[in-house]
Amino acid sequence: VKNLRENGKIFWLRADLPANVKRIRHGKHRPSLTEGKSFVDEIEEVLIQRKEKYEKAADYIIDTSKLSPSDVAKKIVSLMR
């Protein structure tokens, strides 16, 4: 994070649980991060574990749950101006 801050801004492209599940459900090369948990429970647990670190690191937080990639890019560009 220190190196990232020295070289630019940090964006956390956050999404709610349903959006994350929809986006990665069919990924063929995504290994399980925890054993014995459902796919949805695993995603939720990882998001909870990482949330505080992501919030502290981010200069900007963008909720991408209902945004297209193009909308996200436009939002980033507008924040960088």
Side-chain angles (χ1 to χ4, degrees):
V1 171
K2 180 181 176 227
N3 288 338
L4 291 170
R5 282 199 190 287
E6 289 174 1
N7 293 293
K9 298 294 181 187
I10 301 172
F11 289 83
W12 176 20
L13 304 180
R14 176 177 66 192
D16 61 24
L17 182 61
N20 277 307
V21 169
K22 182 180 176 185
R23 291 173 184 171
I24 65 174
R25 179 172 293 282
H26 300 293
K28 306 252 187 280
H29 303 291
R30 184 174 281 279
S32 176
L33 300 173
T34 58
E35 260 187 68
K37 296 196 183 245
S38 75
F39 179 72
V40 174
D41 289 341
E42 180 178 283
I43 294 169
E44 184 174 37
E45 181 178 304
V46 169
L47 291 173
I48 289 169
Q49 289 173 352
R50 297 178 182 179
K51 181 181 181 202
E52 185 178 341
K53 290 178 183 176
Y54 288 172
E55 284 177 340
K56 285 182 181 178
D59 294 304
Y60 301 99
I61 300 172
I62 300 172
D63 187 343
T64 67
S65 301
K66 295 181 172 115
L67 299 177
S68 70
S70 177
D71 290 335
V72 173
K74 289 175 188 173
K75 185 119 178 142
I76 291 170
V77 169
S78 73
L79 289 168
M80 292 300 295
R81 291 188 176 150

Coordinates of all heavy atoms in Angstrom, one line a residue:
V1 N 0.8 -1.2 0.0 CA 0.0 0.0 0.0 C 0.9 1.2 0.0 O 0.6 2.2 -0.7 CB -1.0 0.0 1.2 CG1 -1.7 1.3 1.3 CG2 -2.0 -1.1 1.1
K2 N 2.0 1.2 0.8 CA 2.9 2.4 0.8 C 3.4 2.7 -0.6 O 3.4 3.8 -1.1 CB 4.0 2.1 1.7 CG 5.0 3.2 1.8 CD 6.2 2.8 2.8 CE 7.2 4.0 2.8 NZ 8.5 3.5 2.6
N3 N 3.8 1.6 -1.3 CA 4.4 1.8 -2.7 C 3.3 2.3 -3.6 O 3.5 3.2 -4.5 CB 5.0 0.5 -3.2 CG 6.3 0.2 -2.5 OD1 6.9 1.1 -2.0 ND2 6.6 -1.1 -2.6
L4 N 2.1 1.8 -3.5 CA 1.0 2.3 -4.3 C 0.7 3.7 -4.1 O 0.5 4.5 -5.0 CB -0.3 1.4 -4.1 CG -0.2 0.0 -4.6 CD1 -1.4 -0.8 -4.0 CD2 -0.2 -0.1 -6.1
R5 N 0.6 4.1 -2.8 CA 0.3 5.5 -2.5 C 1.4 6.5 -3.0 O 1.1 7.6 -3.4 CB 0.3 5.7 -1.0 CG -1.0 5.2 -0.4 CD -1.2 5.9 1.0 NE -2.3 5.2 1.7 CZ -3.6 5.4 1.4 NH1 -3.9 6.2 0.4 NH2 -4.5 4.8 2.0
E6 N 2.7 6.0 -3.0 CA 3.7 6.9 -3.6 C 3.6 7.1 -5.1 O 4.2 8.0 -5.6 CB 5.1 6.2 -3.2 CG 5.4 6.3 -1.7 CD 6.7 5.5 -1.4 OE1 7.3 5.0 -2.3 OE2 7.0 5.5 -0.2
N7 N 2.9 6.2 -5.7 CA 2.9 6.3 -7.2 C 1.5 6.6 -7.8 O 1.4 6.6 -9.0 CB 3.4 4.9 -7.8 CG 4.8 4.7 -7.5 OD1 5.7 5.4 -8.0 ND2 5.2 3.8 -6.6
G8 N 0.5 6.8 -7.0 CA -0.8 7.2 -7.5 C -1.9 7.1 -6.5 O -1.6 7.1 -5.3
K9 N -3.1 7.0 -6.9 CA -4.3 6.8 -6.1 C -4.7 5.4 -6.0 O -4.5 4.6 -7.0 CB -5.4 7.7 -6.6 CG -5.1 9.2 -6.6 CD -4.9 9.7 -5.2 CE -4.6 11.2 -5.2 NZ -4.3 11.7 -3.9
I10 N -5.3 5.0 -4.9 CA -5.8 3.6 -4.8 C -7.4 3.7 -4.8 O -8.0 4.4 -4.1 CB -5.4 3.0 -3.5 CG1 -3.8 3.0 -3.4 CG2 -5.9 1.6 -3.3 CD1 -3.3 2.6 -2.0
F11 N -7.9 2.9 -5.7 CA -9.3 2.7 -5.9 C -9.8 1.4 -5.4 O -9.2 0.4 -5.9 CB -9.8 2.9 -7.4 CG -9.6 4.3 -7.9 CD1 -8.4 4.8 -8.3 CD2 -10.7 5.1 -7.9 CE1 -8.3 6.0 -8.8 CE2 -10.6 6.4 -8.4 CZ -9.4 6.9 -8.8
W12 N -10.8 1.3 -4.6 CA -11.4 0.0 -4.2 C -12.7 -0.1 -5.0 O -13.6 0.7 -4.8 CB -11.6 0.0 -2.7 CG -12.4 -1.3 -2.3 CD1 -12.4 -2.5 -3.0 CD2 -13.1 -1.5 -1.1 NE1 -13.2 -3.4 -2.3 CE2 -13.6 -2.8 -1.1 CE3 -13.4 -0.7 0.0 CZ2 -14.4 -3.3 -0.1 CZ3 -14.2 -1.2 1.0 CH2 -14.6 -2.5 1.0
L13 N -12.7 -1.0 -5.9 CA -13.9 -1.2 -6.7 C -14.7 -2.3 -6.0 O -14.6 -3.5 -6.3 CB -13.5 -1.7 -8.1 CG -12.5 -0.7 -8.9 CD1 -12.2 -1.2 -10.3 CD2 -13.1 0.7 -8.9
R14 N -15.5 -1.8 -5.1 CA -16.3 -2.6 -4.2 C -17.6 -3.0 -4.9 O -18.2 -2.3 -5.7 CB -16.7 -1.8 -3.0 CG -17.5 -2.5 -2.0 CD -17.8 -1.7 -0.8 NE -18.5 -0.5 -1.1 CZ -18.7 0.5 -0.3 NH1 -18.1 0.5 0.9 NH2 -19.4 1.6 -0.6
A15 N -18.1 -4.3 -4.6 CA -19.4 -4.7 -5.1 C -20.1 -5.5 -4.0 O -19.4 -6.1 -3.1 CB -19.2 -5.6 -6.3
D16 N -21.4 -5.5 -4.0 CA -22.1 -6.3 -2.9 C -22.0 -7.8 -3.2 O -21.5 -8.2 -4.3 CB -23.6 -5.8 -2.8 CG -24.4 -6.0 -4.1 OD1 -24.0 -6.8 -4.9 OD2 -25.4 -5.3 -4.3
L17 N -22.4 -8.6 -2.2 CA -22.2 -10.0 -2.3 C -22.9 -10.6 -3.6 O -22.3 -11.4 -4.3 CB -22.7 -10.7 -1.0 CG -22.6 -12.2 -1.0 CD1 -21.1 -12.6 -1.1 CD2 -23.2 -12.7 0.3
P18 N -24.2 -10.2 -3.8 CA -24.8 -10.8 -5.0 C -24.1 -10.5 -6.3 O -23.9 -11.3 -7.2 CB -26.2 -10.2 -5.0 CG -26.5 -9.9 -3.6 CD -25.2 -9.5 -3.1
A19 N -23.6 -9.3 -6.5 CA -22.8 -8.9 -7.7 C -21.5 -9.7 -7.8 O -21.2 -10.2 -8.9 CB -22.5 -7.4 -7.7
N20 N -20.8 -9.9 -6.7 CA -19.6 -10.6 -6.7 C -19.9 -12.1 -7.1 O -19.1 -12.7 -7.9 CB -18.9 -10.6 -5.3 CG -18.0 -9.4 -5.2 OD1 -17.2 -9.1 -6.0 ND2 -18.3 -8.6 -4.1
V21 N -20.9 -12.7 -6.5 CA -21.2 -14.0 -6.8 C -21.5 -14.2 -8.3 O -21.0 -15.1 -9.0 CB -22.4 -14.5 -5.9 CG1 -23.0 -15.9 -6.4 CG2 -22.0 -14.6 -4.5
K22 N -22.4 -13.3 -8.8 CA -22.7 -13.3 -10.2 C -21.5 -13.2 -11.1 O -21.4 -13.9 -12.1 CB -23.7 -12.2 -10.5 CG -24.2 -12.2 -12.0 CD -25.2 -11.0 -12.2 CE -25.6 -11.0 -13.6 NZ -26.4 -9.8 -13.9
R23 N -20.6 -12.3 -10.7 CA -19.4 -12.1 -11.6 C -18.4 -13.2 -11.6 O -17.7 -13.4 -12.6 CB -18.7 -10.8 -11.1 CG -19.5 -9.6 -11.4 CD -18.9 -8.3 -10.8 NE -19.8 -7.2 -11.0 CZ -19.6 -6.0 -10.5 NH1 -18.6 -5.8 -9.7 NH2 -20.5 -5.0 -10.7
I24 N -18.3 -13.9 -10.5 CA -17.2 -15.0 -10.5 C -17.7 -16.4 -10.4 O -16.9 -17.3 -10.4 CB -16.2 -14.7 -9.3 CG1 -16.9 -14.9 -7.9 CG2 -15.6 -13.4 -9.4 CD1 -15.9 -14.8 -6.8
R25 N -19.0 -16.6 -10.4 CA -19.6 -17.9 -10.2 C -19.1 -18.9 -11.3 O -18.8 -20.1 -11.1 CB -21.1 -17.9 -10.3 CG -21.7 -19.3 -10.2 CD -23.2 -19.2 -10.1 NE -23.7 -18.7 -8.8 CZ -23.7 -19.3 -7.6 NH1 -23.2 -20.5 -7.5 NH2 -24.2 -18.7 -6.6
H26 N -18.9 -18.4 -12.5 CA -18.6 -19.3 -13.6 C -17.1 -19.3 -14.0 O -16.7 -19.9 -15.0 CB -19.4 -19.0 -14.9 CG -20.9 -19.1 -14.6 ND1 -21.5 -20.4 -14.3 CD2 -21.9 -18.2 -14.5 CE1 -22.8 -20.2 -14.1 NE2 -23.0 -18.9 -14.2
G27 N -16.3 -18.7 -13.1 CA -14.9 -18.7 -13.4 C -14.3 -20.1 -13.3 O -14.5 -20.8 -12.3
K28 N -13.6 -20.5 -14.3 CA -13.0 -21.9 -14.3 C -11.7 -22.0 -13.6 O -11.3 -23.1 -13.2 CB -12.9 -22.3 -15.7 CG -14.2 -22.2 -16.5 CD -14.8 -23.5 -16.8 CE -16.0 -23.5 -17.7 NZ -17.2 -23.1 -17.1
H29 N -11.0 -20.9 -13.4 CA -9.6 -20.9 -12.9 C -9.5 -20.3 -11.5 O -8.5 -19.9 -11.1 CB -8.7 -20.2 -13.9 CG -8.7 -20.8 -15.2 ND1 -8.2 -22.1 -15.5 CD2 -9.2 -20.4 -16.4 CE1 -8.4 -22.4 -16.8 NE2 -9.0 -21.4 -17.3
R30 N -10.6 -20.2 -10.8 CA -10.6 -19.6 -9.5 C -10.7 -20.7 -8.4 O -11.7 -21.4 -8.2 CB -11.9 -18.7 -9.3 CG -11.9 -17.9 -8.0 CD -13.0 -17.0 -8.0 NE -12.8 -15.8 -8.8 CZ -12.1 -14.8 -8.3 NH1 -11.6 -14.8 -7.1 NH2 -11.9 -13.7 -9.0
P31 N -9.5 -20.9 -7.7 CA -9.5 -22.0 -6.7 C -10.3 -21.6 -5.5 O -10.5 -20.4 -5.2 CB -8.0 -22.1 -6.4 CG -7.5 -20.7 -6.7 CD -8.3 -20.2 -7.8
S32 N -10.7 -22.6 -4.8 CA -11.4 -22.4 -3.5 C -10.4 -21.7 -2.5 O -9.2 -22.1 -2.5 CB -11.9 -23.7 -2.9 OG -12.4 -23.5 -1.7
L33 N -10.8 -20.8 -1.8 CA -10.0 -20.1 -0.8 C -10.1 -20.7 0.6 O -9.3 -20.6 1.4 CB -10.3 -18.6 -0.7 CG -10.1 -17.8 -2.0 CD1 -10.6 -16.4 -1.9 CD2 -8.7 -17.8 -2.5
T34 N -11.2 -21.4 0.8 CA -11.5 -22.0 2.1 C -12.1 -23.4 1.9 O -12.9 -23.5 0.9 CB -12.4 -21.2 3.0 OG1 -13.7 -21.0 2.3 CG2 -11.8 -19.8 3.3
E35 N -11.8 -24.3 2.7 CA -12.4 -25.6 2.5 C -13.7 -25.8 3.3 O -13.8 -25.3 4.4 CB -11.4 -26.7 3.0 CG -10.6 -27.3 1.8 CD -9.8 -28.5 2.3 OE1 -10.3 -29.5 2.7 OE2 -8.5 -28.3 2.2
G36 N -14.6 -26.5 2.8 CA -15.8 -26.9 3.5 C -16.9 -25.8 3.5 O -17.8 -26.0 4.3
K37 N -16.8 -24.8 2.8 CA -17.8 -23.7 2.8 C -18.4 -23.7 1.4 O -17.8 -24.0 0.4 CB -17.1 -22.4 3.1 CG -16.6 -22.3 4.5 CD -16.3 -20.9 4.9 CE -15.7 -20.9 6.2 NZ -16.4 -20.4 7.3
S38 N -19.7 -23.2 1.4 CA -20.3 -23.0 0.1 C -19.6 -21.8 -0.6 O -18.9 -21.0 0.0 CB -21.8 -22.7 0.3 OG -22.0 -21.3 0.8
F39 N -19.8 -21.8 -1.9 CA -19.2 -20.8 -2.7 C -19.6 -19.4 -2.2 O -18.8 -18.5 -2.0 CB -19.7 -21.0 -4.2 CG -19.2 -19.9 -5.1 CD1 -17.9 -20.0 -5.6 CD2 -20.1 -19.0 -5.7 CE1 -17.5 -19.0 -6.5 CE2 -19.6 -18.1 -6.6 CZ -18.3 -18.1 -7.0
V40 N -20.9 -19.2 -1.9 CA -21.4 -17.9 -1.4 C -20.8 -17.5 -0.1 O -20.4 -16.4 0.2 CB -22.9 -17.8 -1.4 CG1 -23.4 -16.5 -0.8 CG2 -23.5 -18.0 -2.8
D41 N -20.8 -18.5 0.9 CA -20.3 -18.3 2.2 C -18.8 -18.0 2.1 O -18.3 -17.1 2.9 CB -20.5 -19.5 3.1 CG -21.9 -19.7 3.5 OD1 -22.7 -18.8 3.4 OD2 -22.2 -20.9 3.9
E42 N -18.1 -18.6 1.2 CA -16.6 -18.3 1.1 C -16.4 -16.9 0.6 O -15.6 -16.2 1.2 CB -16.0 -19.3 0.1 CG -14.6 -19.1 -0.2 CD -14.0 -20.1 -1.1 OE1 -13.8 -21.2 -0.8 OE2 -13.8 -19.7 -2.3
I43 N -17.2 -16.4 -0.4 CA -17.0 -15.1 -0.9 C -17.3 -14.1 0.3 O -16.6 -13.1 0.5 CB -17.9 -14.8 -2.1 CG1 -17.5 -15.7 -3.3 CG2 -17.9 -13.3 -2.4 CD1 -18.4 -15.7 -4.4
E44 N -18.4 -14.3 1.0 CA -18.8 -13.4 2.0 C -17.7 -13.4 3.1 O -17.4 -12.3 3.6 CB -20.1 -13.9 2.6 CG -20.7 -12.9 3.7 CD -22.1 -13.3 4.2 OE1 -22.4 -14.5 4.3 OE2 -22.8 -12.4 4.4
E45 N -17.2 -14.5 3.5 CA -16.2 -14.5 4.5 C -14.9 -13.7 4.1 O -14.4 -13.0 4.9 CB -15.8 -16.0 4.9 CG -14.7 -16.1 6.0 CD -14.4 -17.5 6.3 OE1 -15.3 -18.3 6.6 OE2 -13.2 -17.8 6.2
V46 N -14.5 -13.9 2.9 CA -13.3 -13.3 2.4 C -13.5 -11.7 2.4 O -12.7 -11.0 2.8 CB -12.9 -13.8 1.0 CG1 -11.8 -12.9 0.4 CG2 -12.4 -15.2 1.1
L47 N -14.7 -11.3 1.9 CA -15.0 -9.9 1.9 C -15.0 -9.3 3.3 O -14.5 -8.2 3.5 CB -16.4 -9.7 1.2 CG -16.4 -10.0 -0.3 CD1 -17.9 -9.9 -0.8 CD2 -15.5 -9.0 -1.1
I48 N -15.6 -10.0 4.2 CA -15.6 -9.5 5.6 C -14.2 -9.4 6.1 O -13.8 -8.4 6.8 CB -16.5 -10.4 6.5 CG1 -17.9 -10.2 6.1 CG2 -16.2 -10.1 8.0 CD1 -18.9 -11.3 6.7
Q49 N -13.4 -10.4 5.9 CA -12.0 -10.4 6.4 C -11.2 -9.2 5.8 O -10.3 -8.6 6.4 CB -11.3 -11.7 6.0 CG -11.8 -12.8 6.8 CD -11.1 -14.2 6.3 OE1 -10.5 -14.2 5.3 NE2 -11.4 -15.2 7.1
R50 N -11.4 -8.9 4.5 CA -10.6 -7.9 3.8 C -11.1 -6.5 3.9 O -10.4 -5.5 3.6 CB -10.5 -8.3 2.4 CG -9.7 -9.6 2.2 CD -9.6 -10.0 0.8 NE -9.0 -11.3 0.6 CZ -8.8 -11.9 -0.5 NH1 -9.2 -11.3 -1.7 NH2 -8.1 -13.0 -0.6
K51 N -12.4 -6.3 4.3 CA -13.1 -5.0 4.2 C -12.3 -3.9 4.9 O -12.1 -2.8 4.3 CB -14.5 -5.1 4.8 CG -15.2 -3.8 4.7 CD -16.6 -3.9 5.3 CE -17.3 -2.6 5.2 NZ -18.4 -2.4 6.1
E52 N -11.9 -4.1 6.1 CA -11.2 -3.0 6.9 C -9.9 -2.6 6.2 O -9.6 -1.4 6.1 CB -11.0 -3.5 8.3 CG -10.4 -2.4 9.2 CD -10.2 -2.8 10.6 OE1 -10.8 -3.8 11.0 OE2 -9.4 -2.1 11.3
K53 N -9.2 -3.6 5.7 CA -7.9 -3.3 5.1 C -8.1 -2.5 3.8 O -7.4 -1.6 3.5 CB -7.1 -4.6 4.8 CG -6.6 -5.2 6.0 CD -5.9 -6.5 5.7 CE -5.4 -7.1 7.0 NZ -4.8 -8.4 6.8
Y54 N -9.1 -2.9 3.0 CA -9.4 -2.2 1.8 C -9.9 -0.8 2.0 O -9.4 0.1 1.3 CB -10.5 -3.0 1.0 CG -10.1 -4.3 0.3 CD1 -11.0 -5.1 -0.2 CD2 -8.7 -4.7 0.3 CE1 -10.6 -6.3 -0.8 CE2 -8.4 -5.9 -0.3 CZ -9.3 -6.7 -0.8 OH -9.0 -7.9 -1.4
E55 N -10.7 -0.6 3.0 CA -11.2 0.7 3.4 C -10.1 1.6 3.8 O -10.0 2.8 3.4 CB -12.2 0.7 4.5 CG -13.6 0.2 4.0 CD -14.6 0.1 5.1 OE1 -14.2 0.0 6.3 OE2 -15.8 0.0 4.8
K56 N -9.2 1.1 4.6 CA -8.0 1.9 5.1 C -7.1 2.3 3.9 O -6.5 3.4 3.9 CB -7.3 1.2 6.2 CG -8.0 1.2 7.5 CD -7.2 0.5 8.5 CE -7.9 0.5 9.9 NZ -7.2 -0.3 10.9
A57 N -6.9 1.4 3.0 CA -6.0 1.6 1.9 C -6.5 2.6 0.8 O -5.8 3.3 0.2 CB -5.6 0.3 1.3
A58 N -7.8 2.6 0.6 CA -8.4 3.2 -0.5 C -8.5 4.8 -0.4 O -8.8 5.3 0.7 CB -9.8 2.7 -0.7
D59 N -8.1 5.4 -1.5 CA -8.3 6.9 -1.6 C -9.7 7.1 -2.0 O -10.3 8.1 -1.6 CB -7.3 7.5 -2.6 CG -5.9 7.4 -2.1 OD1 -5.6 7.9 -1.0 OD2 -5.1 6.8 -2.9
Y60 N -10.2 6.2 -2.8 CA -11.6 6.3 -3.4 C -12.2 4.9 -3.3 O -11.6 3.9 -3.6 CB -11.6 6.8 -4.8 CG -10.9 8.1 -5.0 CD1 -9.6 8.2 -5.5 CD2 -11.6 9.3 -4.8 CE1 -9.0 9.4 -5.7 CE2 -11.0 10.5 -5.0 CZ -9.7 10.6 -5.5 OH -9.2 11.8 -5.7
I61 N -13.5 4.9 -3.0 CA -14.3 3.7 -3.0 C -15.4 3.9 -4.0 O -16.2 4.8 -3.8 CB -14.8 3.4 -1.6 CG1 -13.7 3.2 -0.6 CG2 -15.7 2.1 -1.6 CD1 -14.1 3.1 0.9
I62 N -15.5 3.0 -4.9 CA -16.6 3.0 -5.9 C -17.4 1.7 -5.8 O -16.8 0.6 -5.9 CB -16.0 3.2 -7.3 CG1 -15.2 4.4 -7.4 CG2 -17.1 3.1 -8.4 CD1 -14.4 4.6 -8.7
D63 N -18.7 1.9 -5.5 CA -19.5 0.7 -5.5 C -19.9 0.4 -7.0 O -20.6 1.1 -7.6 CB -20.8 1.0 -4.7 CG -21.7 -0.2 -4.5 OD1 -21.5 -1.2 -5.3 OD2 -22.5 -0.2 -3.6
T64 N -19.4 -0.8 -7.4 CA -19.6 -1.2 -8.8 C -20.7 -2.1 -9.0 O -20.9 -2.6 -10.1 CB -18.3 -1.8 -9.4 OG1 -18.0 -3.0 -8.7 CG2 -17.1 -0.9 -9.2
S65 N -21.5 -2.4 -7.9 CA -22.5 -3.4 -8.0 C -23.5 -3.3 -9.2 O -23.9 -4.3 -9.8 CB -23.3 -3.4 -6.7 OG -22.5 -3.7 -5.6
K66 N -23.8 -2.1 -9.5 CA -24.8 -1.8 -10.5 C -24.2 -1.0 -11.7 O -25.0 -0.5 -12.5 CB -26.0 -1.1 -9.9 CG -26.8 -2.0 -8.9 CD -28.0 -1.3 -8.4 CE -28.7 -2.3 -7.5 NZ -28.8 -2.1 -6.2
L67 N -22.9 -1.0 -11.8 CA -22.3 -0.2 -12.8 C -21.7 -1.1 -13.9 O -21.1 -2.2 -13.6 CB -21.2 0.7 -12.3 CG -21.6 1.7 -11.2 CD1 -20.3 2.5 -10.7 CD2 -22.6 2.7 -11.8
S68 N -21.7 -0.6 -15.1 CA -21.0 -1.3 -16.2 C -19.5 -1.0 -16.1 O -19.1 0.0 -15.5 CB -21.5 -0.9 -17.6 OG -21.1 0.5 -17.8
P69 N -18.6 -1.8 -16.8 CA -17.2 -1.5 -16.8 C -17.0 -0.1 -17.3 O -16.1 0.7 -16.8 CB -16.6 -2.6 -17.7 CG -17.5 -3.7 -17.5 CD -18.9 -3.1 -17.4
S70 N -17.7 0.3 -18.3 CA -17.6 1.7 -18.9 C -17.9 2.7 -17.9 O -17.2 3.8 -17.8 CB -18.5 1.8 -20.2 OG -18.4 3.1 -20.7
D71 N -19.0 2.5 -17.1 CA -19.4 3.5 -16.1 C -18.3 3.6 -15.0 O -18.1 4.7 -14.5 CB -20.7 3.1 -15.5 CG -21.9 3.3 -16.4 OD1 -21.8 4.1 -17.4 OD2 -22.9 2.6 -16.2
V72 N -17.7 2.5 -14.7 CA -16.7 2.5 -13.6 C -15.5 3.3 -14.1 O -15.0 4.1 -13.4 CB -16.3 1.0 -13.3 CG1 -15.0 1.1 -12.3 CG2 -17.4 0.3 -12.6
A73 N -15.1 3.1 -15.4 CA -14.0 3.8 -16.0 C -14.3 5.3 -16.0 O -13.4 6.1 -15.6 CB -13.7 3.3 -17.4
K74 N -15.5 5.7 -16.4 CA -15.8 7.1 -16.4 C -15.8 7.7 -15.0 O -15.3 8.8 -14.8 CB -17.2 7.3 -17.0 CG -17.3 7.0 -18.4 CD -18.8 7.1 -18.9 CE -18.9 6.7 -20.4 NZ -20.3 6.6 -20.8
K75 N -16.2 6.9 -14.0 CA -16.2 7.4 -12.6 C -14.7 7.6 -12.2 O -14.4 8.6 -11.5 CB -16.9 6.4 -11.7 CG -17.0 6.9 -10.3 CD -18.5 7.0 -10.0 CE -18.6 7.3 -8.5 NZ -19.7 8.2 -8.3
I76 N -13.9 6.7 -12.5 CA -12.5 6.8 -12.1 C -11.8 8.1 -12.8 O -11.2 8.8 -12.1 CB -11.7 5.5 -12.5 CG1 -12.1 4.4 -11.6 CG2 -10.2 5.8 -12.4 CD1 -11.6 3.0 -12.0
V77 N -12.1 8.2 -14.0 CA -11.5 9.4 -14.8 C -12.0 10.7 -14.1 O -11.3 11.6 -13.9 CB -11.9 9.3 -16.3 CG1 -11.6 10.6 -17.0 CG2 -11.1 8.2 -16.9
S78 N -13.3 10.7 -13.8 CA -13.9 12.0 -13.2 C -13.2 12.2 -11.8 O -13.0 13.4 -11.5 CB -15.4 11.9 -13.1 OG -15.8 11.0 -12.1
L79 N -13.0 11.2 -11.1 CA -12.3 11.4 -9.8 C -10.9 11.8 -9.9 O -10.3 12.5 -9.0 CB -12.5 10.1 -8.9 CG -13.9 9.8 -8.4 CD1 -13.9 8.4 -7.9 CD2 -14.3 10.8 -7.4
M80 N -10.2 11.4 -10.9 CA -8.8 11.8 -11.1 C -8.6 13.2 -11.6 O -7.5 13.7 -11.5 CB -8.1 10.8 -12.1 CG -8.0 9.4 -11.6 SD -7.1 9.3 -10.1 CE -5.4 9.7 -10.7
R81 N -9.7 13.8 -12.1 CA -9.5 15.2 -12.5 C -9.5 16.2 -11.4 O -9.9 16.1 -10.4 CB -10.7 15.6 -13.5 CG -10.6 14.8 -14.7 CD -11.6 15.3 -15.7 NE -11.4 14.6 -17.0 CZ -12.3 14.3 -17.8 NH1 -13.5 14.7 -17.6 NH2 -12.0 13.6 -18.9

